[in-house]
Amino acid sequence: MALDRNFASNHRIFFVYMRIIDADNCVQAVDSATLDEDAGTLSNVHTIFQGTRSPTER
Amino acid sequence: MSQTGSRIAIDPKDGNLFVALGTDQPAIRFRCRRSNRQVPGQGDPHYARRQAGARQSGAWPAGSLVDGHRTPQGLTFAPDGRLWEVEHGPRGGDELNLIEKGKNYGWPVIVHGINYPGTKIGDAIVEQAGARAAAVLLDRSSRPPAWSSIGATSFRSGRPACWWVAWPARRFSVWSWPKTIGSSTREPLLTDLNQRIRDVRVFQDGAVYVLTDRAGGKLLKLTPNNSQTRQ
């Protein structure tokens, strides 16, 4: 996870994770979102990068 | 789950986002914040191939910076603006790499170490013309889970340093930034913590936070006063 350079004012974060897209495949994805620290929620979530499929099992 | 590894880092200079991808897509890509920005790499004949599977989205055009990484576990900008990556390699082949645009870092052709079951990897080539050598080849199977530094300063030396975690031995170290390939010194810290450290982050004010993941895991803050820790 990384914080936006202006996180103090815009509360924007970036995070990378494996997104399961079906029973056999997942992809690496990077999303941006606005973090509400008091509510513990994310909003304004956007995928800004998604990789190619890779098998979930090897 | 395949062991791909992936880390992101934001260039403090311009806010561009860099994404390190692992085994399945061994590259470091970057995304520019502004859609009208020229994307380095578009003139590269391999650019289209590299982008074939990457979904373009919105105002974040992508380009590939480098290739040939196995399992990136750390990505950060040094105080001088250079981008560094650390990766979990095969057994005996963990690497600390200085990222230079257009370089190939070898995986899976150029490898240090062997497969974890003990078998040879490919033709066991350790160097090849055109491939970038690791800046530092780390201890055997240190298996780095995290690595971070932005404006970091070594507590003891007062010099800019990177912060490093070695997983199996539960060690935590401060490294000096390598000036040449193979050179670096380290200062072990938290040697009696006896917990697995998952992440380390250095804040702009010099505060260093360490995250552990054991039952009852802790977020520790390191302070310059004799490297004492507190929660």
Side-chain angles (χ1 to χ4, degrees):
Chain A
M1 192 203 81
L3 303 181
D4 188 280
R5 287 187 305 168
N6 301 313
F7 174 80
S9 59
N10 65 19
H11 303 282
R12 192 182 195 196
I13 65 172
F14 301 90
F15 52 96
V16 60
Y17 61 101
M18 296 299 290
R19 173 182 291 164
I20 297 173
I21 56 176
D22 59 40
D24 300 317
N25 295 281
C26 60
V27 296
Q28 290 176 314
V30 178
D31 284 6
S32 68
T34 302
L35 172 67
D36 185 329
E37 296 176 67
D38 294 331
T41 59
L42 296 176
S43 61
N44 196 29
V45 179
H46 298 288
T47 296
I48 59 175
F49 177 85
Q50 181 168 300
T52 53
R53 290 185 177 190
S54 63
T56 52
E57 298 292 339
R58 284 188 167 181
Chain B
M1 186 74 71
S2 60
Q3 189 174 56
T4 54
S6 187
R7 290 293 185 272
I8 55 179
I10 295 176
D11 188 339
K13 181 174 77 271
D14 55 19
N16 287 336
L17 179 70
F18 290 75
V19 183
L21 303 171
T23 306
D24 297 321
Q25 303 159 76
I28 292 179
R29 303 171 189 268
F30 63 91
R31 297 230 136 197
C32 298
R33 284 172 100 60
R34 295 184 294 277
S35 59
N36 61 353
R37 190 184 186 96
Q38 181 181 2
V39 178
Q42 284 182 324
D44 185 334
H46 302 296
Y47 177 78
R49 174 182 60 78
R50 290 169 179 158
Q51 294 304 307
R55 190 176 74 183
Q56 302 288 332
S57 57
W60 291 76
S64 287
L65 189 70
V66 295
D67 287 316
H69 297 284
R70 183 181 184 269
T71 309
Q73 297 282 15
L75 186 70
T76 193
F77 283 90
D80 62 5
R82 293 187 297 175
L83 181 62
W84 291 83
E85 178 259 4
V86 67
E87 65 185 61
H88 174 202
R91 197 164 89 190
D94 295 341
E95 297 177 1
L96 174 62
N97 292 307
L98 171 61
I99 302 304
E100 297 177 339
K101 180 186 171 186
K103 300 291 186 182
N104 186 307
Y105 287 76
W107 180 261
V109 176
I110 297 130
V111 296
H112 297 273
I114 55 178
N115 284 314
Y116 281 86
T119 56
K120 187 175 70 171
I121 300 173
D123 294 326
I125 300 170
V126 296
E127 61 180 334
Q128 188 176 78
R132 184 70 164 88
V136 175
L137 197 60
L138 302 170
D139 290 349
R140 291 182 63 84
S141 301
S142 57
R143 194 176 297 178
W147 182 74
S148 176
S149 171
I150 293 179
T153 300
S154 168
F155 291 158
R156 294 174 186 169
S157 69
R159 296 190 304 271
C162 59
W163 300 78
W164 169 270
V165 179
W167 188 357
R170 299 187 174 98
R171 290 173 299 164
F172 181 73
S173 298
V174 178
W175 288 58
S176 63
W177 294 99
K179 291 184 173 59
T180 58
I181 291 177
S183 71
S184 191
T185 57
R186 75 177 78 178
E187 304 166 9
L189 294 172
L190 303 181
T191 52
D192 57 351
L193 183 63
N194 198 31
Q195 291 190 28
R196 187 164 66 178
I197 298 172
R198 272 294 186 185
D199 204 355
V200 54
R201 298 292 175 96
V202 183
F203 282 63
Q204 292 181 348
D205 64 358
V208 178
Y209 290 86
V210 175
L211 184 66
T212 72
D213 75 348
R214 198 178 187 180
K218 298 175 180 176
L219 178 62
L220 306 173
K221 180 180 181 181
L222 303 188
T223 63
N225 184 15
N226 297 322
S227 302
Q228 294 298 309
T229 64
R230 60 186 171 91
Q231 294 180 42

